[in-house]
Amino acid sequence: MKTQSKKIIACLGILTTLLVSCKDLTELNVNPNGVQAGAVNPNLIMPTVLTETAKLYTNLGFQDIAGVVQHTQKDAWFNGHNDYDWGGDQSWTPYYDQLRNNELLYKRAVEQNLEFQQGVALVMKSYLFGLITDLWGDAPYTNALKGEQGGTEFIAPKYDDQGTIYAGILADLEKANTLLSKPKSAYSSIVENVDVYYAGDPAKWQKFANSLRLRYFMRISAKQPDIAKAGIEKIMANLAQNPIIDDASADATMAYVGNNANDAWPSNTVFDISGSNYRRIKMGATLVKPMQATNDPRLAIWAKKVEVPLSVDASLPAGTDKIVNGIRLLSPDKVGNTPIDTDPNYVGLPASVSQLPSTYNFNPTPGQTSVNPHVSYLNEIYMQAKGTLLKARLMSAAEVRFILAEAAQKGWAVGDAKTHYEAGVRASLTAWGLASSYNAFIAQKGVAYDGTLAQVMGQKWIASWTSATESWFDYRRTGLPALNSGPAAKRKAIPLRFYYMRDELNLNKANSASAIEKLEMTTNSQSDGKNSAWSKPWVVQGTGKPW
């Protein structure tokens, strides 16, 4: 018995040791050098949400979406930028990554009763969910960001319809307007340097919130005109309670730090030794030509003059092709019937021509080398990692004013269309350091207000340079400007949305299939079926737009 008792005591001792060891291991799983989600200061989360969202938006509007709306084109077989050959490669994972960070920001701000941080988080939630539904269509919303709760309904969340998402966005922005309505002195724990947009200024964040409300009311205006009209008129009826971004000084922007490739302007060559990111992007002819026609001063800020202009001279001997005094001289027989652009200053690359057998404007280095001195590169400021004009531009006074000009043209009670239109032009010039050029520019034929929606949307499209994503959604909603896909494009029409990505189709099969079923196929959907970049999401179904 004594021997057995000793064995039992020994076993109990071992068991106790194991239990204590297990407890110790659990404690060791807490990183003593890290900050736990339940204790993190929301000011530590805010910079990540703001900077990463700004970079996501700029990468869209400066890269492939700039190709869709034909601000730029790329040389050397860039199918995605020029030709819309996308497939299911675009992913919303980076957007949801930031939404999870933002959810923690909001949760911690609520727990600590920090109203400024709550308001900022609601604005950023709206911005990110707005991008997701604008880009893809129906998407996880009410059950999103809840994966830690477990359960199929949260791990593979349902897709909410666009109408529900837009309504939720507008409700959150209205709540943010209230949270951000106090003077700065009334808020606690504002840390100015973590707010890379507005340096902790609640008044400017309030303007941002209400300006986004204008954006999304106009977004749904073709589907829910009564709601859009009432919402915009309510804002404009009481600007004291609902201030908006009314001049360029309140634009929602982020400057780039430029210390490394991750915090530098997207096309810079400082961290790209080959210079490829900058060198391959050319001005789009679709943008250059109307800017040339109106002597637009922004063109010289955005574009570089052609290095070697072309000149066709009938007096030259047959077979002439030579460079004299920096000009490439061609006899007519060398040109034949090939269309070329001999403008001595700026030449844009037409949409979707980079894969054609013939090279545009006598490109001497077709293919992947792509050093074309006869087409305009972007201005050399875009070779830099940072600069006073190299900003992510999430929302601008120009956009707000053009929204209001459109609303006024609809007959809504928002003021005078001409006044808003002219203010939009002025705000864009001011943002690019050209305020002194306004009087001469607005007097130009084609710029002076003519009362047409085409003119308003055309100037709004130009003003969205480097933020082209909003112009894509405007085109989808209005068909303006009247863009045409180029000869090598995947379809003979401009795409309308991103494909749902392959991972989502495989891992959230039932819910993604349900969302795809609600898309409207068009003649341009073709072999893609409903999950096509040319299928219509809810926001344009039944509107007859853009084609």
Side-chain angles (χ1 to χ4, degrees):
M1 291 291 293
K2 288 183 180 179
T3 302
Q4 189 173 357
S5 297
K6 288 179 180 179
K7 288 181 179 179
I8 291 172
I9 292 169
C11 288
L12 288 171
I14 293 170
L15 181 59
T16 301
T17 301
L18 288 172
L19 289 172
V20 171
S21 297
C22 288
K23 181 177 184 292
D24 291 342
L25 285 172
T26 301
E27 291 176 351
L28 286 173
N29 280 333
V30 177
N31 180 5
N33 298 316
V35 179
Q36 302 306 305
V40 66
N41 187 315
N43 287 314
L44 296 177
I45 312 169
M46 190 184 295
T48 297
V49 174
L50 301 188
T51 57
E52 292 305 312
T53 300
K55 287 190 289 184
L56 286 168
Y57 188 66
T58 302
N59 285 337
L60 280 171
F62 186 69
Q63 296 292 347
D64 280 0
I65 305 307
V68 173
V69 303
Q70 299 170 17
H71 283 175
T72 60
Q73 291 285 282
K74 289 187 178 182
D75 275 343
W77 306 86
F78 278 90
N79 306 22
H81 194 89
N82 303 345
D83 309 328
Y84 332 127
D85 190 11
W86 294 337
D89 298 329
Q90 297 102 339
S91 174
W92 59 31
T93 298
Y95 302 88
Y96 280 105
D97 286 345
Q98 294 315 311
L99 279 166
R100 281 191 292 273
N101 288 331
N102 191 68
E103 182 72 5
L104 179 57
L105 166 60
Y106 182 72
K107 178 180 178 182
R108 292 293 295 148
V110 170
E111 289 170 353
Q112 297 180 41
N113 195 31
L114 301 177
E115 292 188 327
F116 172 73
Q117 289 80 358
Q118 290 176 48
V120 169
L122 287 174
V123 171
M124 299 312 296
K125 175 187 176 184
S126 302
Y127 202 92
L128 285 159
F129 271 121
L131 277 175
I132 289 169
T133 192
D134 284 337
L135 292 167
W136 280 275
D138 293 0
Y141 180 67
T142 54
N143 281 359
L145 316 177
K146 299 177 181 179
E148 76 281 355
Q149 296 184 27
T152 304
E153 71 271 28
F154 301 129
I155 295 173
K158 69 173 184 177
Y159 287 40
D160 291 273
D161 61 79
Q162 281 193 303
T164 298
I165 299 173
Y166 289 130
I169 287 169
L170 288 164
D172 280 341
L173 289 170
E174 187 167 10
K175 183 177 179 181
N177 174 56
T178 301
L179 287 166
L180 296 164
S181 62
K182 299 175 182 178
K184 187 174 182 178
S185 59
Y187 297 98
S188 60
S189 300
I190 290 180
V191 180
E192 292 182 358
N193 64 358
V194 305
D195 176 3
V196 296
Y197 297 174
Y198 289 129
D201 187 339
K204 289 184 176 178
W205 274 101
Q206 188 185 19
K207 289 184 176 184
F208 188 16
N210 289 314
S211 298
L212 285 175
R213 290 168 71 192
L214 294 177
R215 174 188 284 183
Y216 282 104
F217 277 127
M218 189 57 75
R219 184 85 80 242
I220 63 173
S221 60
K223 291 289 289 188
Q224 298 175 322
D226 292 342
I227 292 175
K229 178 178 183 291
I232 290 179
E233 288 184 341
K234 179 182 176 182
I235 292 170
M236 296 303 294
N238 193 340
L239 289 174
Q241 290 186 4
N242 305 292
I244 58 175
I245 299 174
D246 50 3
D247 64 77
S249 65
D251 286 359
T253 63
M254 182 193 77
Y256 283 80
V257 179
N259 290 330
N260 55 59
N262 189 50
D263 60 23
W265 184 261
S267 71
N268 77 85
T269 57
V270 177
F271 304 104
D272 171 25
I273 303 303
S274 71
S276 174
N277 288 342
Y278 165 78
R279 175 169 46 82
R280 297 187 189 282
I281 305 177
K282 306 296 191 298
M283 295 297 296
T286 312
L287 179 67
V288 168
K289 289 185 180 299
M291 295 185 77
Q292 286 175 313
T294 58
N295 300 306
D296 195 318
R298 291 169 291 190
L299 186 57
I301 302 293
W302 300 342
K304 184 179 178 182
K305 290 185 177 181
V306 290
E307 295 172 356
V308 181
L310 301 179
S311 177
V312 182
D313 188 342
S315 68
L316 294 171
T320 299
D321 183 353
K322 60 183 179 180
I323 296 177
V324 178
N325 296 326
I327 300 174
R328 187 173 177 182
L329 302 177
L330 301 164
S331 56
D333 64 293
K334 291 293 292 185
V335 177
N337 295 321
T338 303
I340 63 172
D341 191 332
T342 59
D343 189 276
N345 294 313
Y346 300 101
V347 173
L349 191 66
S352 192
V353 299
S354 66
Q355 295 192 59
L356 298 182
S358 60
T359 58
Y360 182 72
N361 241 33
F362 284 81
N363 184 355
T365 56
Q368 291 300 312
T369 304
S370 187
V371 178
N372 188 349
H374 310 312
V375 175
S376 291
Y377 293 83
L378 271 58
N379 191 300
E380 290 180 351
I381 63 173
Y382 296 103
M383 296 177 66
Q384 305 305 314
K386 62 180 179 179
T388 56
L389 296 178
L390 298 184
K391 297 178 180 180
R393 196 172 303 279
L394 290 86
M395 187 91 198
S396 69
E399 179 187 342
V400 169
R401 291 294 193 170
F402 290 129
I403 289 171
L404 295 174
E406 181 183 353
Q409 286 188 347
K410 293 177 182 290
W412 300 355
V414 297
D416 178 63
K418 179 175 182 290
T419 300
H420 287 307
Y421 166 79
E422 292 176 347
V425 174
R426 185 190 294 273
S428 180
L429 294 181
T430 300
W432 294 99
L434 296 165
S436 62
S437 300
Y438 170 75
N439 289 335
F441 181 60
I442 201 68
Q444 293 278 335
K445 183 180 179 181
V447 183
Y449 184 65
D450 65 10
T452 65
L453 181 61
Q455 185 187 52
V456 171
M457 301 311 297
Q459 281 297 321
K460 189 180 181 187
W461 166 69
I462 293 172
S464 71
W465 170 256
T466 71
S467 304
T469 309
E470 189 60 25
S471 275
W472 187 28
F473 304 143
D474 279 339
Y475 166 79
R476 182 175 65 187
R477 179 175 59 82
T478 66
L480 297 169
L483 302 173
N484 296 301
S485 62
K490 188 175 179 180
R491 299 282 192 276
K492 299 305 177 186
I494 305 299
L496 306 179
R497 57 178 291 275
F498 285 166
Y499 296 83
Y500 287 120
M501 64 294 307
R502 296 182 185 92
D503 285 350
E504 193 69 11
L505 300 181
N506 292 330
L507 301 177
N508 196 0
K509 189 175 295 185
N511 290 313
S512 61
S514 177
I516 289 170
E517 188 58 32
K518 289 190 285 183
L519 292 167
E520 180 185 310
M521 283 187 65
T522 69
T523 56
N524 292 301
S525 300
Q526 298 180 15
S527 59
D528 291 336
K530 287 195 171 184
N531 185 26
S532 172
W534 289 266
S535 291
K536 291 187 175 184
W538 171 86
V539 74
V540 289
Q541 289 175 9
T543 66
K545 301 294 183 180
W547 33 258

